[in-house]
Amino acid sequence: MSAPITEKYPNYSPGLEGVIAGISTISEIDSDRSSLQYRGYDVHDLAEQGCFEETCYLLLNKKLPTVAELAAFKKTLADEYEVPSHIYDVLRALPKTTHPMDMIRTAYSALAPFDPDYDAPSTDGDANLRKAIRIVAKAGTMVGNGHRIRMGQEPLAPRKDLGVAANFLYLVNGTEPDAKTVQVMDASLTLYAEHGFNASTFANRVTVATLSDLYSGIVTGIGTLRGPLHGGANEEAMRMILEIGEPENAQAWIDDALATKKKIMGFGHREYKKGDSRAFYLTKIAKELGIEKGNTKYGQIADILEKTMLERKNLFPNVDFPAAYAYYLLNIPIDLYTPIFVIARVSGYSAHAMEQLANNRLIRPTVIYEGDKNLEYTPIEKR
Ligand SMILES: CC(C)(COP(=O)(O)OP(=O)(O)OC[C@H]1O[C@@H](n2cnc3c(N)ncnc32)[C@H](O)[C@@H]1OP(=O)(O)O)[C@@H](O)C(=O)NCCC(=O)NCCS
């Protein structure tokens, strides 16, 4: 049997695990304490006592806002909710079967040339901040109205009197959401906003590090977030919970899944080995929501899966697991779960893009070549 690849190449870390690929002041994951801080503030405090707009302000401006600064920032965002109608024409041209993640990725691509700072150099920090605000403000509108378009409905004018979470929910349903729904959505956006050098944020930084623009970074990020090992896990987790159906089926289901070596979506994390701090908080919210809505069965299924995964695999749920059944209890269509992640994470992507561009170096790792060498070329007619 050949030696493990890491013995053969001691400097190689598959999946870049443990590799330090940058220095950042945006967020810190402390895996030992299972904690996450945005610019030094615990996400629990931000989610419980603040609002998503405050987190966006913190990520983009590197400090918490005052009352007046937050009010002005919310107004600036609301004034930027609207998108050019051409974006809706592009979305209408897509097949109705298009996944909303592909719609939002396409929407950002189409949006870039409409940005008033389109021609600004990618190193112009002021222009980048203005772009970042537009990017954050328009996400909920594009996901919400993108959903309407694929449902054969007309886009609605965004509601400037509502925050990001409420405006998005209003566009999806065509009615103003209740306060509890807005609170859960807002907290989940705060928890999803930023998470260090995760795959999509890193991909976003790789893109802007070529001195490409913020929008290209966002498009790269969304494409990377889409997969089930990353953001796509929240949709897959809900499909799994629905497949289980009832709490009495859960034990047999998970026993069988583990026996057949299935990956259980919404469990495990590259960074957190003692639990995902965001999941602790969102699990509490999701279970309370179930009690409030008189539907505790998803919480009960979750309890069984969580206990079994911990006992047998020493794995904890990640944020995508409670987010899945919280969103389901809020009647949000499953294929909007990962796009909701986008609405939140574009704030983190933008902060990282600006940080990268403020002190840039091209990101270009190296690779070990293991293919053939020095082969003799035979002209095509002689092969
Ligand atoms: C998040 C994730 C990609 C991290 O991956 P990673 O750091 O590369 O860890 P690995 O996939 O190498 O997993 C290490 C071990 O734990 C197991 N494992 C990890 N997550 C698992 C899961 N969700 N279900 C079952 N087993 C899992 C792996 O099979 C592997 O076991 P092995 O060593 O016996 O082969 C992984 O946990 C996963 O695929 N989770 C499900 C998808 C998900 O929820 N993604 C959202 C992340 S926020």
Side-chain angles (χ1 to χ4, degrees), residues 83-204:
V83 299
S85 62
H86 302 286
I87 305 303
Y88 299 139
D89 295 338
V90 171
L91 296 182
R92 278 191 198 97
L94 298 173
K96 289 281 175 283
T97 49
T98 304
H99 189 283
M101 279 299 275
D102 294 329
M103 293 183 87
I104 185 65
R105 194 192 61 233
T106 305
Y108 271 113
S109 217
L111 186 63
F114 290 99
D115 192 295
D117 289 300
Y118 182 56
D119 291 328
S122 57
T123 46
D124 181 338
D126 293 339
N128 284 343
L129 181 58
R130 290 192 295 272
K131 282 185 189 173
I133 289 169
R134 293 180 196 119
I135 284 167
V136 170
K138 295 181 196 313
T141 304
M142 295 195 297
V143 175
N145 274 334
H147 175 70
R148 299 187 72 76
I149 287 169
R150 82 193 165 114
M151 292 292 127
Q153 297 167 319
E154 276 306 303
L156 291 172
R159 287 267 305 266
K160 287 187 182 188
D161 57 320
L162 301 177
V164 170
N167 176 56
F168 161 68
L169 291 161
Y170 162 72
L171 294 175
V172 170
N173 297 313
T175 52
E176 204 173 311
D178 62 82
K180 179 72 188 177
T181 302
V182 176
Q183 186 205 339
V184 174
M185 180 55 60
D186 190 88
S188 75
L189 292 181
T190 299
L191 295 172
Y192 265 138
E194 158 56 14
H195 211 216
F197 268 35
N198 60 85
S200 56
T201 301
F202 185 60
N204 155 66

Side-chain angles (χ1 to χ4, degrees), residues 17 228-231 233 258 262-271 273 276 278 309 313 315 318-320:
E17 184 164 1
L229 295 188
H230 193 4
L258 291 178
K262 264 195 199 144
K263 270 239 161 136
I264 314 301
M265 289 297 145
F267 282 85
H269 201 276
R270 176 65 66 81
E271 293 276 318
K273 300 302 176 198
D276 177 339
R278 304 163 301 170
M309 287 299 280
K313 303 284 292 183
L315 288 173
N318 57 54
V319 66
D320 292 319

